[in-house]
Amino acid sequence: MEGEVGKTRLAEYKAIRKKVDAKAERLTRKELNMPKGEWWFGSCHTFWKHK
């Protein structure tokens, strides 16, 4: 039973993480004026700030 609860929590966590990552990426691209599909050296710092 404990394994099933853990799997449910993991699925919830993954769904939340996916939304957070998508929003952080949108904010990063907007802030740095980056075209979609490109990542620039050092842009990860801005991504992490938003995340």
Side-chain angles (χ1 to χ4, degrees), residues 6 9 12 16 18 20 25-26 33-34 37 45 49:
R9 294 278 182 171
E12 291 173 19
I16 292 168
K18 189 175 181 178
V20 169
E25 182 176 342
R26 280 193 308 274
N33 199 22
M34 280 191 334
H45 299 284
K49 174 182 78 172

Side-chain angles (χ1 to χ4, degrees), residues 17-40:
R17 181 178 175 194
K18 189 175 181 178
K19 289 179 184 178
V20 169
D21 284 349
K23 185 170 184 176
E25 182 176 342
R26 280 193 308 274
L27 292 171
T28 299
R29 291 189 182 286
K30 183 177 180 181
E31 183 175 328
L32 298 178
N33 199 22
M34 280 191 334
K36 192 166 184 148
E38 286 188 32
W39 281 100
W40 298 339

